[in-house]
């Protein structure tokens, strides 16, 4: 409530925020979490909390009147649909050279993501977080994160016969035929539940085109893991539909945090200001970066370092699809949860880790879709725009060319071996590469650059960053396990040293 004082405020309920809240509560602290999006617990008129990808409605997107699908064309024609404007679960945030998809709601990105829970290879860790000692990460914090997130592995015998993974088996076969390594990828989606979906003994979710607009069943998103455990301590209160706008030192100590309570049309219904002794920024790479560059530029937190806003990368994300021969059908029933990756990271000429993605059209398309994570050296910078009062990102679409070059090393070879071609009708008219959007924003407040080596904003004691903005642009694999493990490491240190 307006005027409240509190010991700890966490901004955002994604991975970083959820870890901070749970561990602080277990250490005896009372924690308030504020979240811009909704609490996704109430079913709509169709009896479901979330809509699926084939029939999107207002629940799908954050305040848009038309969907903005990653695959926005089909057979070359625009594929978006009109929807009612609502505080939906997936935000497609447009910057000049890239649109960045993010989850909105209690659970952040865990509500909309593919659940792929990948621990990077230890040999690559020094390139991901150079100032962090890999030993304890791999002995303690990655295992802790995997346990907290309820990561599980697919039953490979079942996989071989499941209709819903025909697309993935085709992906493996073609990778092998061209000499590429592949790996099964762990997930937070409950694979035992998926077996029941395939057997038609439980309501379908992953097998009913549900993922980027939320899963009604099966997925262990953060609201079912870390956040449920945090609430279970009795010490954590989650306040949805509140957008934090300013953070500044308060008279008499602590920080004054202003926020707007919003309705489902995005309109402010009440402005509130509270005082917190300690504040954790966990609004995600984009959200935290935007807040920090704004506070610095508008004089609320003028002593933040100049590096705030820099070091942003897209985890080398690029998407592409291939059209298979008639004997390589990919299946009309596809699980929306990817479970296989082609691992070409060891190729020093163009490292890439490409997940074999579902393309759930409900019909046979003979298409193979991939989301590649590549080694792209380009980094963007967020800056405050005093004219608009917003925040710009200087990333240019052309900066994704290194990612395309990495991905081509895999898919040109597969096309040549299979006698197949790229599809050019999915990401625009005659456009092969999905190079102008990202699922994996990282950086903007890089660890040991803009913060100390544990996420403290040192000019302002009691302010911390604990989300994907700490990671300098690339994790070599899908990022959320690394975000979670780093948060586990940092909060342990912060609790030990800063909370007495
Ligand atoms: P996250 O973005 O999770 O949470 C930040 C929260 O803060 C959000 O809930 C947001 O609404 C809130 N917020 C922002 N600004 C605020 C403000 N001013 N006031 C209050 N609240 C505010 N990763 C992976 O490892 N495997 C995968 O399979 C996938 N797949 C995938 C698919 C899709 C479609 C997307 C969009 C993303 C993925 N990801 C993924 C990426 C993954 O979801 C992402 O890296 C993490 O969610 C980032 O975690 P954070 O804790 O940094 O922020």
């Amino acid at each position: 409530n307006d005027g409240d004082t509190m010991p700890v405020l966490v901004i955002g309920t994604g991975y970083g925020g959820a870890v901070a809240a749970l561990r602080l509560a277990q250490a005896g602290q009372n924690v308030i979490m504020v979240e811009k999006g909704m609490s996704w617990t109430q079913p709509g008129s169709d009896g479901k909390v979330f809509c699926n990808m084939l029939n999107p409605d207002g629940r799908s997107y954050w305040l848009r009147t038309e969907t903005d699908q990653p695959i926005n064309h089909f057979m070359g024609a625009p594929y978006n649909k009109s929807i009612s404007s609502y505080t939906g679960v997936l935000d497609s945030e447009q910057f000049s050279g890239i649109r960045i998809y993010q989850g909105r709601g209690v659970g952040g990105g865990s509500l909309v993501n593919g659940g792929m829970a990948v621990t990077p290879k230890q040999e690559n860790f020094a390139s991901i977080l150079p100032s962090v000692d890999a030993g304890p990460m791999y002995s303690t914090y990655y295992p802790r994160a995997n346990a907290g997130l309820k990561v599980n592995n697919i039953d490979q015998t079942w996989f071989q016969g499941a209709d819903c993974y025909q697309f993935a088996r085709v992906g493996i076969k073609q990778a092998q035929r061209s000499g590429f390594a592949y790996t099964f990828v762990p997930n937070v989606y409950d694979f035992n539940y998926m077996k029941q979906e395939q057997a038609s003994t439980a309501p379908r979710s992953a097998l009913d085109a549900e993922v980027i607009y939320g899963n009604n069943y099966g997925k262990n998103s953060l609201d079912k893991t870390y956040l449920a455990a945090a609430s279970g301590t009795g010490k954590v209160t989650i306040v949805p539909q509140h957008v934090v706008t300013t953070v500044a030192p308060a008279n008499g100590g602590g920080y004054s945090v202003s926020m707007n309570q919003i309705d489902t049309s995005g309109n402010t219904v009440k402005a509130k200001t509270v005082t917190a002794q300690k504040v954790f920024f966990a609004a995600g790479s984009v959200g935290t970066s935007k807040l920090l560059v704004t506070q610095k530029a508008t004089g609320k937190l003028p002593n933040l370092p100049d590096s705030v806003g820099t070091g942003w990368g897209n985890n080398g994300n690029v998407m592409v699809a291939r059209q298979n021969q008639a004997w390589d059908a990919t299946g009309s029933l596809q699980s929306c949860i990817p479970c296989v990756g082609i691992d070409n990271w060891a190729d020093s000429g163009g490292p890439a880790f490409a997940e074999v993605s579902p393309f759930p059209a409900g019909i046979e398309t003979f298409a193979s879709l991939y989301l590649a994570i590549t080694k792209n050296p380009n980094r963007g910078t967020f800056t405050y725009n005093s004219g608009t009062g917003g925040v710009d990102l200087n990333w240019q679409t052309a900066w994704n060319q290194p990612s395309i070059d990495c991905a081509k090393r895999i898919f040109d070879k597969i096309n040549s071996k299979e006698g197949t071609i790229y599809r050019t009708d999915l990401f625009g008219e005659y456009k092969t590469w999905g190079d102008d959007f990202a699922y994996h924003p990282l950086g903007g407040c890089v660890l040991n650059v803009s913060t100390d080596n544990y996420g403290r904003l040192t000019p302002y004691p009691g302010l911390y960053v604990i989300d994907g903005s700490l990671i300098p642009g690339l994790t070599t694999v899908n990022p959320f396990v690394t975000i979670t493990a780093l948060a586990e490491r940092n909060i342990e240190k912060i609790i030990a040293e800063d909370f007495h």
Side-chain angles (χ1 to χ4, degrees):
N1 289 324
D2 190 33
D4 279 359
T5 60
M6 57 199 64
V8 183
L9 180 80
V10 176
I11 307 170
T13 57
Y15 293 90
V19 171
L22 173 62
R23 301 309 176 199
L24 286 162
Q26 288 173 333
Q29 298 293 320
N30 288 308
V31 179
I32 305 285
M33 303 184 83
V34 285
E35 166 57 50
K36 173 173 174 170
M38 298 174 57
S39 168
W40 290 93
T41 49
Q42 297 300 317
S45 55
D46 58 356
K48 295 198 165 177
V49 173
F50 299 109
C51 60
N52 77 7
M53 284 153 64
L54 300 178
N55 297 296
D57 58 32
R59 290 171 289 182
S60 59
Y61 281 87
W62 181 259
L63 301 176
R64 293 184 61 87
T65 52
E66 194 179 59
T67 64
D68 189 15
Q69 321 220 51
I71 293 180
N72 52 20
H73 283 63
F74 194 67
M75 310 293 274
Y79 189 62
N80 282 310
K81 297 179 180 167
S82 292
I83 51 171
S84 54
S85 179
Y86 187 71
T87 46
V89 73
L90 183 65
D91 195 357
S92 127
E93 197 170 356
Q94 184 71 56
F95 293 93
S96 64
I98 192 167
R99 61 190 199 279
I100 305 178
Y101 288 98
Q102 297 152 86
R104 295 280 175 251
V106 174
S110 77
L111 298 168
V112 299
N113 67 34
M116 296 179 78
V118 195
T119 300
K121 288 188 184 141
Q122 190 165 350
E123 70 219 47
N124 295 330
F125 187 78
S127 73
I128 300 169
L129 286 162
S131 65
V132 175
D133 185 358
M137 285 299 290
Y138 282 82
S139 64
T140 304
Y141 303 113
Y142 274 115
R144 189 176 292 172
N146 276 288
L149 294 166
K150 295 199 178 159
V151 175
N152 71 151
N153 290 289
I154 197 164
D155 170 348
Q156 292 182 21
T157 310
W158 175 78
F159 168 84
Q160 292 304 338
D163 287 350
C164 65
Y165 279 125
Q166 187 176 335
F167 76 95
R169 292 192 297 273
V170 168
I172 289 176
K173 182 186 80 176
Q174 294 176 342
Q176 282 181 312
R177 278 164 53 86
S178 286
F180 293 108
Y182 72 92
T183 172
F184 281 97
V185 172
N187 207 289
V188 300
Y189 198 94
D190 181 346
F191 282 117
N192 282 325
Y193 186 85
M194 199 189 296
K195 282 183 179 175
Q196 297 174 47
E197 294 180 51
Q198 177 69 76
S200 298
T201 56
R204 287 184 165 179
S205 180
L207 272 58
D208 188 26
E210 289 181 4
V211 65
I212 64 172
Y213 308 144
N215 282 95
N216 286 301
Y217 317 96
K219 196 205 270 177
N220 280 310
S221 44
L222 288 168
D223 50 316
K224 306 205 171 49
T225 58
Y226 274 94
L227 291 172
S231 296
T233 64
K235 291 187 157 293
V236 176
T237 306
I238 302 176
V239 185
Q241 292 177 273
H242 282 63
V243 185
V244 170
T245 53
T246 64
V247 179
N251 295 330
Y255 294 89
S256 173
V257 180
S258 301
M259 59 192 82
N260 294 325
Q261 182 178 357
I262 58 169
D263 62 18
T264 56
S265 303
N267 298 318
T268 298
V269 292
K270 195 165 191 223
K272 302 177 181 176
T273 300
V274 302
T275 306
Q277 289 309 307
K278 293 186 164 63
V279 177
F280 288 80
F281 289 88
S285 163
V286 178
T288 291
S289 300
K290 282 167 57 177
L291 277 171
L292 292 178
V293 296
T294 303
Q295 308 316 304
K296 181 170 171 64
T298 56
K300 306 280 191 230
L301 298 172
N303 299 332
L304 287 175
D306 291 340
S307 59
V308 158
T310 67
W312 185 84
N314 64 354
N315 209 23
N317 281 184
V318 67
M319 267 189 129
V320 72
R322 298 176 33 260
Q323 185 64 13
N324 289 306
Q325 302 282 7
W327 53 83
D328 273 337
T330 47
S332 54
L333 175 68
Q334 301 199 0
S335 169
C336 285
I337 296 300
C339 68
V340 169
I342 302 173
D343 186 356
N344 197 36
W345 204 265
D347 177 355
S348 57
F353 179 82
E355 68 184 60
V356 180
S357 302
F359 187 3
I363 50 166
E364 177 60 56
T365 62
F366 297 94
S368 285
L369 181 68
Y370 308 89
L371 170 63
I373 293 161
T374 64
K375 192 169 185 179
N376 185 327
N378 291 314
R379 294 293 176 269
T381 300
F382 290 97
T383 46
Y384 180 70
N385 182 327
S386 56
T388 63
V391 172
D392 300 331
L393 173 65
N394 69 344
W395 182 273
Q396 297 167 32
T397 309
W399 292 4
N400 236 3
Q401 189 60 43
S403 294
I404 294 175
D405 295 342
C406 292
K408 275 170 76 78
R409 295 174 74 88
I410 299 176
F411 301 113
D412 279 1
K413 194 166 174 189
I414 291 179
N415 273 339
S416 140
K417 180 79 183 172
E418 304 297 330
T420 52
I421 54 170
Y422 290 112
R423 282 191 70 139
T424 57
D425 64 323
L426 300 178
F427 301 106
E429 261 179 86
Y430 306 110
K431 184 164 163 46
T432 302
W433 298 94
D435 59 353
D436 52 1
F437 62 90
Y439 285 172
H440 299 164
L442 292 166
C445 187
V446 170
L447 188 82
N448 212 35
V449 176
S450 294
T451 71
D452 77 353
N453 205 20
Y454 293 90
R456 298 179 179 100
L457 289 163
T458 40
Y460 296 101
L463 293 189
Y464 307 88
V465 174
I466 190 154
D467 58 20
S469 59
L470 293 172
I471 296 175
L474 181 65
T475 52
T476 74
V477 292
N478 313 62
F480 74 62
V481 177
T482 296
I483 295 170
T484 307
L486 183 66
E488 288 281 17
R489 166 197 181 264
N490 292 353
I491 199 68
E492 189 177 88
K493 184 79 161 185
I494 289 165
I495 288 170
E497 294 184 354
D498 300 6
F499 285 82
H500 302 292

